[in-house]
Amino acid sequence: MKLILLFNQQKNYGQIPVVDQAGQTQFFIQGKLHNSNHTLFLTDINHNEIGRLYQDGRSILTSYTIDIIDYDLAQVKQVTNVEFPMFLTKKNYLITGSTKKGSYEFRSTFKKIASCESMIIDSGLALVCDIKKYQDIPYILLIAGLFSQWSATPLELPQFKFNNQLSTDCN
């Protein structure tokens, strides 16, 4: 199944819409990970939470926890002190890739489980994810959301000004 994370901010303040190949919105990724207490949320089109990803504190090797509703916690751990490779526990997936190239792969032993690649499409910058198993979708999308924090300009959550106008300006 191909899912596309759209990094534009047109009328979608503070969230990344995830669409299918037909352009229909399937999910939203909300939030940001600039601090250790921040969280990324994966929601369905009705904004019901499916899962979340958050950082496990600071150490030499970075670790994130993925909490999917009705599933066991999984962790994304750096294998070395560089960005990649990473390892997804519970699924035993090795994650490799390059933020510079904008391409990532998820593997279970020698079998490719999913791949994500940055592309420029009609609506702007996007991360196209090809996911083989339906049950892996929440994990892959949350980790792709993590990659988007590294490679794309972070989305700003809306702030209300005194005149009740919506703004994403942090000043």
Side-chain angles (χ1 to χ4, degrees):
M1 169 178 234
K2 283 198 191 247
L3 294 170
I4 304 164
L5 286 76
L6 301 174
F7 296 134
N8 59 17
Q9 294 191 40
Q10 302 169 351
K11 301 178 187 174
N12 291 312
Y13 298 105
Q15 60 189 1
I16 300 170
V18 180
V19 300
D20 60 15
Q21 288 178 292
Q24 298 296 315
T25 302
Q26 300 294 316
F27 305 99
F28 291 102
I29 298 174
Q30 301 169 318
K32 57 185 175 179
L33 287 173
H34 293 299
N35 293 319
S36 59
N37 62 343
H38 288 171
T39 302
L40 287 181
F41 298 92
L42 177 65
T43 64
D44 63 16
I45 57 173
N46 298 317
H47 296 288
N48 297 315
E49 184 178 339
I50 296 170
R52 59 181 64 189
L53 178 141
Y54 52 90
Q55 190 171 359
D56 288 343
R58 302 249 179 224
S59 65
I60 294 173
L61 299 178
T62 305
S63 176
Y64 300 90
T65 297
I66 297 178
D67 184 3
I68 305 296
I69 305 293
D70 297 329
Y71 286 90
D72 291 336
L73 293 177
Q75 291 188 318
V76 180
K77 297 180 176 266
Q78 286 182 304
V79 176
T80 65
N81 63 349
V82 294
E83 210 170 80
F84 289 100
M86 298 177 93
F87 186 74
L88 176 61
T89 64
K90 300 291 182 198
K91 294 285 191 175
N92 294 327
Y93 293 166
L94 183 65
I95 306 163
T96 58
S98 168
T99 302
K100 189 182 245 184
K101 293 180 182 176
S103 63
Y104 315 95
E105 283 192 349
F106 297 75
R107 294 189 168 276
S108 176
T109 58
F110 297 106
K111 185 177 178 183
K112 188 189 312 185
I113 302 302
S115 62
C116 298
E117 188 172 341
S118 295
M119 294 184 171
I120 302 296
I121 60 174
D122 293 340
S123 60
L125 181 62
L127 187 64
V128 179
C129 296
D130 185 11
I131 305 169
K132 306 294 185 213
K133 296 180 184 176
Y134 182 79
Q135 61 269 27
D136 288 336
I137 289 174
Y139 296 98
I140 304 299
L141 290 180
L142 282 166
I143 295 169
L146 171 64
F147 298 155
S148 75
Q149 300 287 307
W150 294 341
S151 61
T153 302
L155 295 173
E156 295 297 332
L157 296 175
Q159 296 178 354
F160 290 96
K161 294 184 178 183
F162 290 109
N163 60 4
N164 292 330
Q165 291 181 349
L166 191 60
S167 171
T168 57
D169 186 18
C170 291
N171 296 329

